[in-house]
């Protein structure tokens, strides 16, 4: 019996990596993980049962990690390298290239991770994208704020952040200093480059969407346009995703054109991408950013339930260099709602959280009772999520909204903030 090629997942933790691991194992591939020592120690029994082996390496140090990963992959007959972790897409491209496996352009992969490199790559490729400028200190900040191409409001964000952490919509110079500090503090688990540099970006007004694509040999297929629900105000967090969205044909054409240019600019040749766009009142599409990975926030599940496309197997096939099956087998609609708290505090009770059942294929609550919850300023502050799917878009959305309205969380003041926060029963919807 010939052994099928091994599949190496960079960071195998989390539900989406778990689905990929399961898809690969189901097809008989030995599944390997690259993980930091802490993540490796935290691998649960289910994942451990799927894994043929793990290369333990410091994924926050790309040079060393690349050497460790490629040496391990050669020893274990790895024939595909994959990640769903935003922070590791550059490393995945470098590893695939070093091993001669299908992947993204290693020379361009940084463009999907560093928003300054991304802005340059987009501009060079003619992608319509907001004016962006990097600043390192107060003098550069002042000069940038005086630049009329930036305008008011503008957006301050970390260069290589994710999950909306440290992103602030700033309505004038007075708020800019605090926003720059917030962006610097949000460097995250995989800090890279100069920690003082942050990005200022012109504000793109309009409706927010993302485009979920899978590219093979440089040819992208757009699986769906997703409508993003985002909280308003100075700090934006995603509160839900719905797909597939049908845009007017001319708008869709413009969206696809811009997204394809962005995919090329970021060197995405073999793999998934999640491109975030804003469509203004005139139907013009502006690209905010691209990720060289499947959309997070359960978008893979939504594609599966709405379109009947097995994205995990498609990702696997792409990484193995085989044609992926991307034709929809269903014409449904799916949406996810994220439960967030409008206040910080100690979570004392939860009621009304939906259970899985017909039309509700997935629920996940992750905030422990008795633990601290934060006001949602980043996607990491989500308390839970649930997915609703069905054949009729309006019915699915109504049902999801009704389920969300039925959820109640109770918060006590957290000791440090006692006196500032009232105990209250509140809808778990961020205002
Ligand atoms: N130039 C912009 N114009 C308008 N809104 C913006 C702009 N940049 C960011 N935003 C808003 O802020 C949110 C977070 O910004 P961005 O996507 O750049 O950060 P991120 O950390 O990469 O987010 P995520 O990982 O959640 O996609 C966006 O989803 C959008 O709502
Ligand atoms: Mg984003």
């Amino acid at each position: 019996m010939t052994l099928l090629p091994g599949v190496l997942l960079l960071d195998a933790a989390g539900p989406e990596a778990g689905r990929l691991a399961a898809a690969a194992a189901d097809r008989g591939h030995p599944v390997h993980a690259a993980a930091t020592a802490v993540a490796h120690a935290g691998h649960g029994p289910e994942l451990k049962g799927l894994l043929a082996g793990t290369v333990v390496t410091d994924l926050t140090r790309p040079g060393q990690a690349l050497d460790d990963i490629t040496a391990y992959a050669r020893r274990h007959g790895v024939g595909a390298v994959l990640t769903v972790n935003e922070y590791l897409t550059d490393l995945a491209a470098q590893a695939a290239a070093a091993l001669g496996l299908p992947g993204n352009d290693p020379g361009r992969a940084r463009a999907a991770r560093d928003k300054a490199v991304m802005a340059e790559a987009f501009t060079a490729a003619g992608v319509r994208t907001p004016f962006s400028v990097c600043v390192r200190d107060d003098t550069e900040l002042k000069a940038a704020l005086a630049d009329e191409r930036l305008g008011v409001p503008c957006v301050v964000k970390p260069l290589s952040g994710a999950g909306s952490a440290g992103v602030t919509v700033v309505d004038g110079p007075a708020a800019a200093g605090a926003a720059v500090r917030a962006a610097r503090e949000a460097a995250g688990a995989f800090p890279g480059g100069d920690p003082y540099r942050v990005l200022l970006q012109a504000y793109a007004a309009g409706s927010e969407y993302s485009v979920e694509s899978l590219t093979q040999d440089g040819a992208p297929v757009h699986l769906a346009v997703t409508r993003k629900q985002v909280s308003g105000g100075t700090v934006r967090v995603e509160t839900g995703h719905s797909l597939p969205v049908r845009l007017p044909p001319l708008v869709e054409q413009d969206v696809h054109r811009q997204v394809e240019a962005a995919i090329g600019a970021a060197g995405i040749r073999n793999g998934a991408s999640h491109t975030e766009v804003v469509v203004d009142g005139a139907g013009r599409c502006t690209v905010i950013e691209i990720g060289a990975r499947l959309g997070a926030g359960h978008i893979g599940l939504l594609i599966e339930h709405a379109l009947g496309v097995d994205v995990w197997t498609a990702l696997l096939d792409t990484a193995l260099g085989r044609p992926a099956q991307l034709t929809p087998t269903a014409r449904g609609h799916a949406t996810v709602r994220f439960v967030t708290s409008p206040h910080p505090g100690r979570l004392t009770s939860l009621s009304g959280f939906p259970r899985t059942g017909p039309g509700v294929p997935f629920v996940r609550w992750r905030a422990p009772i008795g633990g601290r919850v934060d006001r949602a300023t980043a996607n990491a502050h989500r308390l839970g999520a649930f997915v609703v799917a069905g054949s009729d878009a309006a019915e699915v959305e109504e049902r999801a909204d009704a389920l969300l309205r039925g959820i109640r969380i109770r918060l006590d003041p957290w000791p440090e903030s006692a006196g500032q926060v009232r105990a209250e029963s509140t809808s778990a919807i961020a205002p």
Side-chain angles (χ1 to χ4, degrees), residues 8 71 85-86 148 160 174 188 195 241 250 259-260 269 271 287 326 371 389:
L8 177 62
N85 183 328
E86 161 78 27
E148 61 189 22
S160 50
H241 302 299
L250 286 178
V259 168
E260 281 156 27
R269 291 191 312 216
V287 178
L326 299 174

Side-chain angles (χ1 to χ4, degrees), residues 23 30 33 128 138 162 195-196 205 207 230 258 275 327 341 388 390 392 414 421:
R128 199 181 298 126
D138 284 347
Y196 287 96
S207 306
V230 183
Q258 295 299 328
T275 313
T327 311
S341 170
V388 178
D392 184 87
W414 189 256
V421 183

Side-chain angles (χ1 to χ4, degrees), residues 161-249:
S164 303
V167 178
T168 311
V169 179
V170 166
D171 60 5
V180 166
R181 283 192 293 282
R184 283 183 185 144
E185 279 164 18
F190 295 84
D194 181 342
Y196 287 96
R197 288 171 79 223
V198 303
L199 194 78
L200 269 64
Q201 197 166 67
Y203 183 80
S207 306
E208 294 189 42
Y209 302 94
S210 59
V211 181
E212 324 311 330
S213 318
L214 211 146
T215 301
Q216 289 203 284
D217 292 330
V221 171
H222 306 300
L223 292 167
V225 175
T226 306
R227 177 175 291 109
K228 273 157 62 102
Q229 265 190 12
V230 183
S231 64
T234 55
V235 174
R236 307 280 163 102
V237 289
E238 293 165 351
T239 53
H241 302 299
S242 302
L243 65 79
V245 171
R246 310 243 177 266
L247 296 170

Side-chain angles (χ1 to χ4, degrees), residues 86 89-90 104 108-115 117-118 121-122 159-161 262 265-268 289-293:
E86 161 78 27
T89 57
D90 188 3
N104 294 333
R108 293 186 175 214
R110 193 80 207 131
R113 278 302 306 129
D114 179 317
K115 287 174 172 146
V117 180
M118 189 186 299
F122 281 177
L159 284 183
S160 50
I268 295 166
E289 66 158 343
I290 189 163
R293 54 165 174 84

Side-chain angles (χ1 to χ4, degrees), residues 102-186:
N104 294 333
D105 182 345
R108 293 186 175 214
R110 193 80 207 131
R113 278 302 306 129
D114 179 317
K115 287 174 172 146
V117 180
M118 189 186 299
E120 271 175 35
F122 281 177
T123 305
V127 179
R128 199 181 298 126
T129 193
F131 172 75
S132 300
V133 56
C134 253
V135 303
R136 199 181 183 280
D137 54 33
D138 284 347
T139 314
E140 289 180 5
L141 177 62
K142 254 196 200 141
L145 291 168
D147 188 327
E148 61 189 22
R149 287 172 298 177
L150 191 64
V152 179
C154 69
V155 185
V156 178
K157 52 176 95 174
L159 284 183
S160 50
S164 303
V167 178
T168 311
V169 179
V170 166
D171 60 5
V180 166
R181 283 192 293 282
R184 283 183 185 144
E185 279 164 18

Side-chain angles (χ1 to χ4, degrees), residues 7-11 20 80-84 92 315-316 319:
V7 171
L8 177 62
L9 295 178
L10 307 192
D11 182 6
L20 264 181
V81 177
L82 286 153
T83 190
V84 288
L315 286 172
L316 185 63

